[in-house]
Amino acid sequence: MIRRYVYGQPWPSFSCVQEICPEAEPMPYFHVQQAEKGLTFTTKLEKDEAIYGLGENVRGINKRGFVYRSYAVDDAPETESKSALYASHNFLVIKGGKRCFGVFFDDPSLFEFDLGFTDPEEATMTSRYGKLNVYLIENRSVIAVAKEFRQLTGRSYIPPKWAFGYIQSRFGDCSEEEINRTLDEYRKLGLPIDSFCLDIDCLDEYQNFTWNPVTFPNPEQFVREKQEEGIHLIPIVDAAIRKDDANEDYRRGKEKDVFCKGPGGEEFAAYVWPGLCAFPDYFQEKTRKWLGDRLQRYLRMGISGFWSDMNEPSVFAGQGGFRRAAELASATDENYSFLGFGRMMGIGQLLYDEKSDGKNFCHRIDDELAENPEVHNLYGGMMAFGMDEGFRMYNPDERFLLFSRSSCIGSHRVSGVWLGDNHSWWSHLLMNLKMMPSMNLCGYLFAGADIGGFNGDTTDELMLRWLELGIFFPLMRNHSCWGTRKQELYRFRYSEKMAKIVQIRYSLIPYLYSEFMKAALRDECMYRPLAFDYPDDPRAAGIEDQLLLGQECMIAPVYEQNAKGRMVYLPEDMLMIRMSSPDSMEEICLARGDHYIALETEQLAFFIRKNRAIPFAAPADKVKNIEESSIRMIGWLQEEYGYEYYNDDGISRQISQDNLKIIPCKP
Ligand code: MIG
């Protein structure tokens, strides 16, 4: 059952698709109180209670024991001491022997979760402004609570099927030539690929909706050529736009009055990649229309996917901050104190001050002016709605690819996400795994991290191991930052091994897509910690380095340097599949319990529950070339079983139950 409680006068948040009547009684479980730092919601925690959710954030799958914050920021590196990342996903589930409930704090501004940080036996949530809706969902299991939450907030975004293919990306050195070279090398290696992301270096001076004339001299022709080869190009769209009358898109925006302004009517301006920028007020319909219009010429060129970035929004500097920093940098050395040096070294922190530099950063919502901090967490999501409206304007019947960096609950209906600027660290490979179920709980099914790591230099071994995990997640993108070791797979000593792992991905796509689509259609979580499915197994509760995938599988990646295997806990009898290429499959029946699984660097393992089976296709070079007739079922069957297989044309928005069929399997 879902109950709603209203505090103060909340801004509209676009998070829910169901209208729930507010309760008059006080909310159970929580003690609600106005405190100095905001409106607080406190609940005592039982010893055995775990806390799941919070979407994109650091630390464990069980979030208990730390303090987290919802205030979208661009603040890499994603270390353990961070409390906030790029998004705000204020949904959590508290589950113990006595109680099981979910709570969604639908608050678009600064919100804090002290989940046993100050007091290990207490959770306190604080809303800075105290204007919010709270939805309380009680049900018997985490899975049931999650389903109700998704029914409240709406069906998850579904990308075109080609988006399940391997995506190559690189910030800094992309060009027509580089793409062609990578394609050539991949062909030689037999490495399947469907898409390339185009980053801001592909733009003219980092300006949205342009092409870099040096590296992309013939964009129209290039896009067409790649299309003929079956390759999708996925341009980036940043949140802000250069404030410059020579920029046509800016001029159009000014004519239509789409940018954020202060109470005095002055346009908000701050520095981002292209220089001084204006910030489209995506909260307004006309702004979303302006954004949608900007996409039309790309869509007409045949581009059908985008990624959107810097939409927390991320700001490098404000105009005042810039001056302050410049003054400090030119300070003389006379009597300069240690504190002065400290400030000098922290110049980056001085560059944008929300109070002064951001005073004109306001949004118009229902004819009222909201200062950005009051609705801050919705900005990226509102941009995603604008992108989606642009897609529907062009073609209402087809799906388009969109994944965004910032997101909120609500925009999960129109966009996927990538998990931001991670590092080429082993700990971030594991973090990738831990984030997936939390993302799913909050409605984000189409998600994935930068495989190999974005910042820092990756290694052959880390790249290979990360691919061995990354092939199991819907968004499979290899992306890295300029100045770091290049990460196109042909550049590695292990390139042949890597190519074979990517081939396995393509063999698994019929299964992954089928499970993804069923999870979307039924409001389910595709990735779950063992604790969700085996609530009565005390061992399952503590496992944070394995995940259930769909209704049949379990994954357990190697995430340590030089490891030649790992311990795996099986909550029931399972068939272990160990492989290093689609045709090297080893199948071993294992009993419930602990097992050491030996895994050479090029080997991965996954597990299929006994008496279940999954489809496995012959590898293909592109998603569209996967042959359904090549599918065979793999599993350990002692009784008859029918796998519920979903497939469709991969593109139309009309998604129907008729696309489901049972594949009968015999022992
Ligand atoms: O300030 O577009 O997270 O994926 O390569 C960095 C350049 C801006 C951040 C994104 C990253 C992207 C990069 N962007």
Side-chain angles (χ1 to χ4, degrees):
M1 189 178 59
I2 308 181
R3 281 179 285 177
R4 173 181 168 205
Y5 302 87
V6 187
Y7 301 90
Q9 282 190 312
W11 292 101
S13 78
F14 318 95
S15 55
C16 297
V17 295
Q18 259 183 56
E19 178 81 30
I20 312 266
C21 278
E23 300 286 325
E25 299 289 299
M27 179 164 56
Y29 301 124
F30 292 94
H31 177 63
V32 186
Q33 193 182 356
Q34 185 62 49
E36 206 186 310
K37 53 178 194 163
L39 189 66
T40 60
F41 301 78
T42 304
T43 187
K44 284 274 165 221
L45 296 172
E46 300 278 339
K47 241 203 177 75
D48 73 329
E49 282 176 340
I51 307 178
Y52 302 108
L54 296 191
E56 189 178 60
N57 219 312
V58 296
R59 300 228 173 186
I61 296 176
N62 179 353
K63 289 280 183 273
R64 183 168 177 172
F66 199 55
V67 61
Y68 309 88
R69 201 171 56 237
S70 272
Y71 201 74
V73 283
D74 171 13
D75 185 23
E78 304 171 347
T79 59
E80 263 191 61
S81 38
K82 292 284 156 66
S83 277
L85 297 178
Y86 314 87
S88 147
H89 302 141
N90 295 354
F91 175 59
L92 49 83
V93 183
I94 297 184
K95 162 82 174 109
K98 291 208 203 96
R99 12 176 238 181
C100 176
F101 65 92
V103 56
F104 171 35
F105 296 95
D106 191 9
D107 185 333
S109 57
L110 178 62
F111 197 88
E112 260 178 6
F113 300 85
D114 180 336
L115 305 182
F117 173 78
T118 305
D119 174 351
E121 260 119 66
E122 195 174 273
T124 297
M125 273 58 80
T126 307
S127 164
R128 171 74 184 76
Y129 293 95
K131 301 198 262 182
L132 70 160
N133 283 290
V134 181
Y135 296 86
L136 187 76
I137 307 175
E138 287 170 290
N139 211 319
R140 61 189 186 284
S141 67
V142 182
I143 291 177
V145 169
K147 193 175 177 117
E148 270 195 277
F149 174 66
R150 297 265 293 288
Q151 286 162 348
L152 172 68
T153 53
R155 179 185 282 171
S156 295
Y157 164 75
I158 297 173
K161 191 176 183 184
W162 58 261
F164 284 77
Y166 174 68
I167 306 176
Q168 183 64 56
S169 187
R170 168 80 180 179
F171 170 32
D173 352 67
C174 187
S175 63
E176 293 184 4
E177 230 175 279
E178 273 293 318
I179 290 177
N180 283 336
R181 163 147 183 230
T182 302
L183 279 171
D184 259 5
E185 298 287 344
Y186 282 6
R187 227 168 275 135
K188 280 186 242 162
L189 277 169
L191 199 151
I193 181 166
D194 273 77
S195 317
F196 282 86
C197 279
L198 306 178
D199 207 326
I200 53 170
D201 52 286
C202 306
L203 307 174
D204 186 14
E205 298 183 342
Y206 304 136
Q207 298 177 89
N208 272 347
F209 321 117
T210 62
W211 295 88
N212 182 326
V214 178
T215 51
F216 287 83
N218 303 300
E220 303 257 346
Q221 188 190 330
F222 186 69
V223 171
R224 200 170 336 109
E225 268 171 30
K226 291 311 108 186
Q227 231 163 11
E228 279 157 19
E229 294 168 37
I231 295 293
H232 299 265
L233 300 179
I234 308 169
I236 192 169
V237 182
D238 275 3
I241 187 131
R242 187 191 277 183
K243 191 176 157 70
D244 172 0
D245 286 318
N247 178 319
E248 196 198 315
D249 299 303
Y250 171 70
R251 270 201 327 267
R252 278 289 165 80
K254 223 165 66 170
E255 274 162 35
K256 300 226 146 69
D257 188 24
V258 305
F259 299 118
C260 293
K261 290 192 291 194
E266 205 179 323
E267 197 172 280
F268 171 61
Y271 294 95
V272 208
W273 284 100
L276 196 62
C277 285
F279 288 70
D281 186 10
Y282 298 114
F283 287 82
Q284 299 185 52
E285 202 183 323
K286 64 180 175 188
T287 309
R288 296 195 296 273
K289 167 85 170 50
W290 165 87
L291 175 64
D293 282 339
R294 312 267 80 60
L295 303 180
Q296 302 305 307
R297 61 177 184 263
Y298 286 84
L299 297 167
R300 280 195 301 270
M301 276 167 85
I303 282 174
S304 51
F306 298 85
W307 54 308
S308 59
D309 190 17
M310 306 298 280
N311 46 5
E312 295 71 25
S314 174
V315 173
F316 291 165
Q319 286 173 288
F322 196 87
R323 275 194 298 275
R324 283 193 300 279
E327 269 161 35
L328 196 64
S330 61
T332 58
D333 62 357
E334 263 174 76
N335 252 338
Y336 211 59
S337 70
F338 176 74
L339 274 179
F341 285 114
R343 282 184 63 202
M344 175 99 84
M345 294 192 342
I347 265 181
Q349 262 103 60
L350 294 175
L351 286 173
Y352 183 73
D353 173 48
E354 201 161 68
K355 284 212 179 68
S356 55
D357 295 320
K359 66 179 187 308
N360 290 324
F361 193 8
C362 297
H363 306 286
R364 192 157 280 287
I365 304 170
D366 295 343
D367 273 328
E368 265 186 85
L369 216 53
E371 289 180 10
N372 177 268
E374 284 208 40
V375 292
H376 177 84
N377 290 329
L378 305 184
Y379 190 77
M382 296 312 294
M383 180 182 179
F385 284 118
M387 299 288 289
D388 181 59
E389 287 166 30
F391 301 153
R392 289 175 194 269
M393 207 188 299
Y394 180 74
N395 185 341
D397 303 323
E398 288 189 359
R399 304 177 221 164
F400 293 82
L401 173 60
L402 176 62
F403 56 98
S404 170
R405 193 169 68 180
S406 189
S407 62
C408 57
I409 285 168
S411 60
H412 71 285
R413 298 191 294 271
V414 296
S415 148
V417 287
W418 91 98
L419 301 172
D421 294 346
N422 60 7
H423 268 70
S424 296
W425 293 340
W426 289 90
S427 60
H428 278 184
L429 190 168
L430 184 57
M431 188 170 77
N432 182 182
L433 175 138
K434 291 188 187 191
M435 278 187 180
M436 289 304 286
S438 317
M439 293 304 294
N440 274 202
L441 263 182
C442 293
Y444 283 91
L445 294 180
F446 192 72
D450 289 351
I451 296 172
F454 177 74
N455 284 304
D457 293 331
T458 200
T459 65
D460 275 72
E461 188 192 5
L462 178 58
M463 190 75 221
L464 186 54
R465 288 297 196 198
W466 208 322
L467 285 167
E468 290 168 10
L469 172 65
I471 61 164
F472 290 105
F473 295 144
L475 170 61
M476 185 191 177
R477 181 175 77 143
N478 168 0
H479 180 51
S480 58
C481 188
W482 66 9
T484 67
R485 184 179 191 172
K486 294 193 176 183
Q487 270 177 212
E488 291 80 12
L489 299 179
Y490 70 85
R491 299 177 188 274
F492 293 88
R493 294 293 159 93
Y494 288 168
S495 58
E496 282 172 24
K497 298 180 176 27
M498 292 171 182
K500 290 182 178 142
I501 299 298
V502 182
Q503 288 170 7
I504 298 175
R505 159 68 164 206
Y506 280 68
S507 294
L508 284 169
I509 283 177
Y511 177 63
L512 295 173
Y513 185 70
S514 169
E515 291 304 302
F516 180 94
M517 294 301 287
K518 286 189 289 178
L521 290 170
R522 296 171 181 167
D523 299 313
E524 285 169 357
C525 295
M526 181 167 173
Y527 302 92
R528 304 172 307 283
L530 275 51
F532 288 14
D533 289 48
Y534 304 91
D536 302 324
D537 178 345
R539 277 294 305 285
I543 291 186
E544 297 229 344
D545 61 356
Q546 305 175 196
L547 289 181
L548 300 165
L549 186 177
Q551 297 308 312
E552 292 75 19
C553 290
M554 184 177 81
I555 55 175
V558 172
Y559 54 88
E560 279 172 324
Q561 183 169 302
N562 294 313
K564 289 282 177 274
R566 58 164 287 173
M567 291 302 299
V568 177
Y569 174 69
L570 305 191
E572 59 177 286
D573 296 351
M574 290 183 171
L575 176 69
M576 176 185 76
I577 307 290
R578 180 163 47 201
M579 62 205 303
S580 54
S581 70
D583 49 21
S584 68
M585 196 182 293
E586 225 183 308
E587 301 177 37
I588 298 174
C589 301
L590 295 175
R592 167 168 189 236
D594 293 291
H595 296 270
Y596 179 78
I597 310 292
L599 292 163
E600 290 300 327
T601 317
E602 67 275 16
Q603 286 182 314
L604 62 84
F606 66 97
F607 304 82
I608 304 174
R609 298 164 67 182
K610 185 172 162 186
N611 291 322
R612 305 275 173 119
I614 70 163
F616 193 84
D621 62 335
K622 301 216 159 19
V623 172
K624 64 172 182 173
N625 295 335
I626 297 172
E627 290 283 354
E628 214 164 80
S629 61
S630 75
I631 287 177
R632 65 194 167 92
M633 300 300 294
I634 49 176
W636 167 19
L637 297 177
Q638 291 187 333
E639 51 194 56
E640 284 194 14
Y641 170 70
Y643 173 71
E644 197 180 20
Y645 177 62
Y646 180 98
N647 196 18
D648 61 17
D649 66 3
I651 196 81
S652 95
R653 286 199 193 246
Q654 286 303 326
I655 296 153
S656 116
Q657 302 286 336
D658 302 345
N659 298 323
L660 277 167
K661 68 173 186 205
I662 303 291
I663 305 183
C665 311
K666 290 215 166 69

